[in-house]
Amino acid sequence: MHDFCFTIPYGLIVMIGGVVGYLKKGSVASLGGGVGSGFLLILAGYLSLKAFEKRKNSYFALILETVSSAALTWVMGQRYLQTSKIMPAGVVAGISALMTAFYLFKIATGGNHIPAKAE
């Protein structure tokens, strides 16, 4: 599975979560963090997709995805430890930890598999 297949939906979920947090609680931190992180993830997924269309790997995109998801894991993990609230901190930390592991796997295995050109 290619990283952009998960990154773009993951970024959308993070972005929507930030907007929902702002609308429900008036939290500007949720809005900034969610929209900012979500935008970075969507951008990285888009860069990876465009590189894949050119039959290349974008290691810049993979690193950006990894750093963003690791940062979300750390921040939301800390928030979960402070509040013990499953939603949203625990869920976002868990999903972000899974995504970080997936990105590290993609980096370790050489990025997206580029299929041989059909002739």
Side-chain angles (χ1 to χ4, degrees):
M1 188 59 74
H2 307 298
D3 62 308
F4 53 83
C5 294
F6 291 114
T7 301
I8 295 170
Y10 170 49
L12 286 171
I13 289 168
V14 170
M15 190 178 278
I16 290 167
V19 171
V20 169
Y22 175 73
L23 293 174
K24 281 190 159 195
K25 302 280 185 174
S27 172
V28 177
S30 288
L31 182 65
V35 171
S37 299
F39 177 77
L40 278 178
L41 288 163
I42 292 168
L43 175 65
Y46 177 78
L47 292 173
S48 181
L49 174 61
K50 289 301 168 189
F52 183 77
E53 289 174 351
K54 294 177 183 174
R55 305 184 58 73
K56 297 181 179 190
N57 273 307
S58 175
Y59 290 103
F60 172 74
L62 265 174
I63 290 169
L64 184 58
E65 292 163 347
T66 307
V67 169
S68 297
S69 63
L72 277 170
T73 302
W74 176 258
V75 169
M76 296 308 274
Q78 291 297 311
R79 182 157 300 142
Y80 172 72
L81 291 174
Q82 292 170 353
T83 64
S84 298
K85 291 185 179 179
I86 296 291
M87 191 63 178
V91 171
V92 174
I95 292 170
S96 296
L98 290 172
M99 292 303 295
T100 302
F102 172 70
Y103 297 138
L104 290 172
F105 171 77
K106 294 303 283 184
I107 290 170
T109 58
N112 292 319
H113 173 69
I114 309 295
K117 200 169 194 175
E119 307 214 17

